[in-house]
Amino acid sequence: SEGKSNLSEYRDVLQRVSSQYGVDPATVVAVWGVESNFGQTQGKYPLVQALSTLSCYGRRQAYFQKEFFATLRILQSGDIQPQRLVGSWAGAFGHTQFMPSTFERLAVDFDGDGRRDLMDNSADALASTANFLAKGGWQTGQPWGFEVRLPAGMNTTGESRRNKKSISAWTAKGVTAVDGQPLEARVSGSQKAGLLTPAGAAGPAFLVFRNFDVIYGYNAAESYALAIAHLSDRLRGAGPFVTAWPTDDPGLSRAERITLQKALLSRGYDIGEPDGLIGSKTRDAIKTEQSKLGLTPDGRAGQKILRAIQ
């Protein structure tokens, strides 16, 4: 609902962004939502301090040294003031969490004020995100993919988003759209797609196209790309996944995660403000409570621990 509100509020900007870069508004807003909760959670670490530290310690010093010097060049250019250049502990910053080197390559001054400001200028941030996706090979007007139904007993060994086959080939294997309709009713039979089964063959299955790979390029994790892809569908009015995620411990909504955190706080755990974001302190507290309650101490913020505490 918050994403739809932002789609409405920034309709004019998003339409201009879409016209210029060829990326639809729902996808851009979905990235915004997943990356920073629509600008509300951009990080609090001063980038110069964070990246200079990572340049001297840890496994990827050479990588972070490049990002550190990119940060200094951003400050030198005057795009963002030093006191505003804050972000994650690893250096990502702004509404859609660009790394400094990505900012140098792809950030744009969309409103023409002479500065590329991803911290406080939503128009610059949304346009820069669309530019990122466009440069990554986004195919205008094409889907990221869609949920499908697999035939009983289908062997999915070796299938992945990389191993793409034509839609006709998937049809020959007995794959249909999740509503049972032929795949060719959705896309051309010659178009190529890979099969994604993030929870195994018993869970939701998806045929994914080139645009899914482009989203994946924003942050290389299939769960991340699927989150953005699914949120973009929901912003267009689609419903949730049809196939249930196979688990005996379903996840929690944001409101339920906050309820869980408040319960942990009431039990004396120092986990910070209840914000619905499950970090290491919350997971450690959950593990301790799970051990006390005779549950597997895996730190999962799911329905089991919430019901047990309640």
Side-chain angles (χ1 to χ4, degrees):
S1 61
E2 192 165 349
K4 288 181 178 179
S5 175
N6 278 292
L7 271 175
S8 176
E9 181 178 351
Y10 293 93
R11 180 182 291 109
D12 292 343
V13 170
L14 288 164
Q15 287 300 328
R16 289 191 289 114
V17 166
S18 182
S19 295
Q20 182 162 338
Y21 297 103
V23 184
D24 64 281
T27 297
V28 175
V29 170
V31 174
W32 190 18
V34 170
E35 285 291 350
S36 71
N37 194 21
F38 308 106
Q40 298 174 57
T41 310
Q42 297 188 39
K44 60 184 180 180
Y45 295 90
L47 253 62
V48 170
Q49 180 179 340
L51 289 170
S52 59
T53 300
L54 292 169
S55 296
C56 300
Y57 297 95
R59 295 181 294 106
R60 303 173 67 193
Q61 293 179 34
Y63 167 77
F64 286 114
Q65 285 167 11
K66 293 177 181 178
E67 297 298 334
F68 173 66
F69 286 115
T71 301
L72 297 183
R73 289 192 295 270
I74 291 170
L75 293 174
Q76 188 175 45
S77 72
D79 280 309
I80 300 173
Q81 295 304 306
Q83 67 273 15
R84 290 295 299 131
L85 194 53
V86 297
S88 76
W89 66 270
F93 69 98
H95 281 268
T96 51
Q97 296 291 284
F98 273 26
M99 289 299 291
S101 62
T102 305
F103 176 98
E104 287 194 304
R105 289 187 296 110
L106 299 172
V108 298
D109 172 20
F110 195 65
D111 66 351
D113 68 353
R115 296 170 56 230
R116 300 181 295 171
D117 181 6
L118 305 194
M119 296 297 304
D120 300 308
N121 189 317
S122 299
D124 285 1
L126 296 173
S128 297
T129 299
N131 187 41
F132 182 107
L133 296 172
K135 292 292 196 302
W138 186 265
Q139 297 178 343
T140 304
Q142 296 298 312
W144 64 266
F146 50 84
E147 188 177 357
V148 295
R149 180 178 297 164
L150 305 181
M154 177 178 169
N155 183 5
T156 61
T157 302
E159 304 295 358
S160 70
R161 65 179 181 85
R162 297 184 183 88
N163 186 16
K164 289 183 169 57
K165 300 179 177 69
S166 70
I167 290 297
S168 297
W170 290 116
T171 295
K173 287 177 173 288
V175 178
T176 66
V178 76
D179 59 4
Q181 294 297 308
L183 299 176
E184 284 82 356
R186 301 286 299 270
V187 290
S188 166
S190 62
Q191 199 163 344
K192 290 190 174 182
L195 180 65
L196 188 69
T197 52
F206 310 90
L207 287 181
V208 296
F209 302 95
R210 170 60 183 161
N211 282 351
F212 184 88
D213 297 331
V214 175
I215 298 172
Y216 177 90
Y218 204 100
N219 188 344
E222 289 179 348
S223 56
Y224 169 91
L226 186 59
I228 287 177
H230 185 47
L231 178 55
S232 71
D233 280 350
R234 299 299 294 271
L235 293 176
R236 298 183 193 98
F241 298 144
V242 174
T243 305
W245 211 272
T247 178
D248 63 351
D249 188 17
L252 302 177
S253 69
R254 182 73 174 271
E256 288 173 325
R257 294 197 298 272
I258 291 174
T259 297
L260 174 61
Q261 288 176 319
K262 288 180 177 178
L264 293 170
L265 283 168
S266 72
R267 284 162 172 74
Y269 293 101
D270 179 19
I271 61 172
E273 290 296 316
D275 55 8
L277 304 177
I278 306 301
S280 59
K281 290 183 178 179
T282 298
R283 283 191 291 271
D284 288 344
I286 290 172
K287 287 180 182 178
T288 302
E289 279 298 301
Q290 287 171 325
S291 295
K292 291 180 180 179
L293 295 165
L295 302 173
T296 301
D298 57 10
R300 174 172 171 75
Q303 293 289 342
K304 282 187 176 181
I305 184 63
L306 178 61
R307 288 196 299 265
I309 285 181
Q310 288 178 325

